[in-house]
Amino acid sequence: MSFRFKAIAAAALSLATLATGSLAQAADLPVKAAKKPADLPFFLVIDNRVTFSWMPKGTDPGMWSVRPDGSINGTTAKQVYSFTHFDLWAYGTNFFTISMFKSGHNDPASPCVAPGVNIGGTASDCAGATEIYGLFRSTFGWNEIFNTKAFTMGPLHNISFEVGMDANTENTFLAPAKRDVVAGLQFAFDLPYKGYINVAPLMYWEFSNHNAFTQCGLFGPGVAGVTCNSDGNVSYNPTWAVEINYYMDLGFLPPNMQFWSISGRAGWYGPKGDSNGLPALSGTGIFSTKSKTELNSEPIRLTFDASKAVWGDKYSHFVDLWVAYRYWQNKFGLDHNAMAGVCTVAATGQSTKSCTESTVYGGITVKF
């Protein structure tokens, strides 16, 4: 098994936290002429991991409170539990992750519609919300499909077809139920120190979601499709996306310190239409509900290979300790300068600080 795929499996966890960002790892299988195809197992690599991480300043759009000094608190601590699967087979890769995000009280579960307030407008001390998010990506390498090395030249390692999908659910009053698909290409490049960077231009289509606040009957009967959605379900337009991820060992360190690696990811997702599915209600300025280009990124993650440091190379990446920086602008496509009542305070236009996520967080990953 080539180092490239060991590294890919080791770095797969960094993509699990994009679970809310629609980004995944995938790479391509080099030609292995030493064995006949019949001698190869169906899966050349199978890598499963579990992770616990803690995010001190997560956000959930529209969930914010006012501190005693009058400042706005738009963040909430989140505990994240993840399972990640990566496999490599003769024609490409598969990556799957499912995560549970457990929020603090500043991101309350239903029936609260805001911290400490229920749908009836009375005080309630609701528990923190729980979100389940799943993400899947698959690649099919051109070198493998066409039995050639024509798509390997210079730093270019391979070109692949890429497909995938995302889904989530959360027990807030909003009750989101995101469903999307992606399809496009992936360009895999080699980096120094046996690293890689993958760039994937994609078509992104969030064909279904749910927003209970737009449901007909909540604020009067309304006109379905004009002033409200009949069942709260919202659909969006297909748009473009670009997903990038990378991994590299810090191979320039002395041999007795080569337990460190860096990795990261970024995903840009184009405007997908009106954020509540009701363009007729979209105003201008802070009252606009048009979606904006979304950036979901973890530009850098520093990983310490604890198992290699303690038990040697044989146990590399069995136990990883890591710290990362996460930046998410226009979260879920919501305009952080508009979306009155969600991203901004309707009366003043002040930011609620809930549509941008900027936090340092860390965790532990165990391979099994």
Side-chain angles (χ1 to χ4, degrees), residues 41-114:
F42 187 83
F43 291 111
L44 304 178
V45 174
I46 296 179
D47 187 280
N48 296 312
R49 298 167 188 262
V50 291
T51 296
F52 170 77
S53 57
W54 184 69
M55 188 180 300
K57 293 185 177 181
T59 63
D60 198 356
M63 293 300 174
W64 50 278
S65 58
V66 180
R67 298 186 181 97
D69 64 1
S71 63
I72 290 178
N73 179 14
T75 66
T76 182
K78 293 186 179 184
Q79 301 172 51
V80 188
Y81 306 85
S82 303
F83 167 77
T84 301
H85 168 85
F86 171 84
D87 66 66
L88 169 69
W89 64 298
Y91 290 97
T93 62
N94 298 297
F95 174 84
F96 170 77
T97 184
I98 186 166
S99 298
M100 182 180 78
F101 298 79
K102 178 60 178 176
S103 296
H105 286 250
N106 211 42
D107 178 21
S110 183
C112 284
V113 294

Side-chain angles (χ1 to χ4, degrees), residues 109 113 125 138 155 206 236 245 275 314 342:
V113 294
D125 185 21
S138 284
E206 186 176 329
Y236 297 97
N245 56 82
S275 293
K314 182 179 178 181
V342 180

Side-chain angles (χ1 to χ4, degrees), residues 128-140:
T130 299
E131 178 184 12
I132 305 296
Y133 198 106
L135 177 150
F136 177 76
R137 295 289 188 273
S138 284
T139 64
F140 303 88

Side-chain angles (χ1 to χ4, degrees), residues 161-175:
F161 295 116
E162 181 172 338
V163 295
M165 64 182 302
D166 300 53
N168 90 317
T169 184
E170 188 176 13
N171 64 345
T172 58
F173 186 82
L174 182 79

Side-chain angles (χ1 to χ4, degrees), residues 95-308:
F95 174 84
F96 170 77
T97 184
I98 186 166
S99 298
M100 182 180 78
F101 298 79
K102 178 60 178 176
S103 296
H105 286 250
N106 211 42
D107 178 21
S110 183
C112 284
V113 294
V117 181
N118 65 31
I119 185 62
T122 57
S124 293
D125 185 21
C126 296
T130 299
E131 178 184 12
I132 305 296
Y133 198 106
L135 177 150
F136 177 76
R137 295 289 188 273
S138 284
T139 64
F140 303 88
W142 288 12
N143 279 336
E144 291 68 54
I145 292 173
F146 301 110
N147 191 27
T148 180
K149 289 188 177 181
F151 303 103
T152 299
M153 59 190 75
L156 179 65
H157 184 79
N158 204 348
I159 301 174
S160 303
F161 295 116
E162 181 172 338
V163 295
M165 64 182 302
D166 300 53
N168 90 317
T169 184
E170 188 176 13
N171 64 345
T172 58
F173 186 82
L174 182 79
K178 178 182 178 181
R179 306 289 185 269
D180 71 61
V181 293
V182 298
L185 299 177
Q186 177 187 264
F187 297 85
F189 299 91
D190 293 323
L191 289 179
Y193 304 111
K194 301 178 182 179
Y196 63 84
I197 181 168
N198 297 333
V199 180
L202 303 166
M203 181 282 295
Y204 172 88
W205 182 29
E206 186 176 329
F207 59 87
S208 179
N209 210 322
H210 183 266
N211 181 351
F213 289 99
T214 69
Q215 188 160 334
C216 294
L218 182 63
F219 302 106
V223 179
V226 179
T227 64
C228 60
N229 292 308
S230 59
D231 55 4
N233 288 332
V234 182
S235 59
Y236 297 97
N237 302 323
T239 187
W240 59 268
V242 177
E243 296 180 348
I244 299 175
N245 56 82
Y246 74 91
Y247 174 93
M248 187 173 70
D249 282 336
L250 300 186
F252 53 82
L253 295 174
N256 61 349
M257 295 182 60
Q258 290 188 6
F259 312 122
W260 300 90
S261 60
I262 58 171
S263 59
R265 59 170 181 80
W268 291 265
Y269 305 90
K272 55 191 178 183
D274 191 76
S275 293
N276 60 19
L278 302 168
L281 296 187
S282 180
T284 59
I286 66 169
F287 295 98
S288 174
T289 56
K290 294 180 180 178
S291 61
K292 293 291 184 178
T293 298
E294 172 186 359
L295 168 61
N296 181 352
S297 69
E298 184 182 291
I300 188 167
R301 172 181 292 207
L302 179 64
T303 298
F304 174 65
D305 189 344
S307 54
K308 179 181 177 181

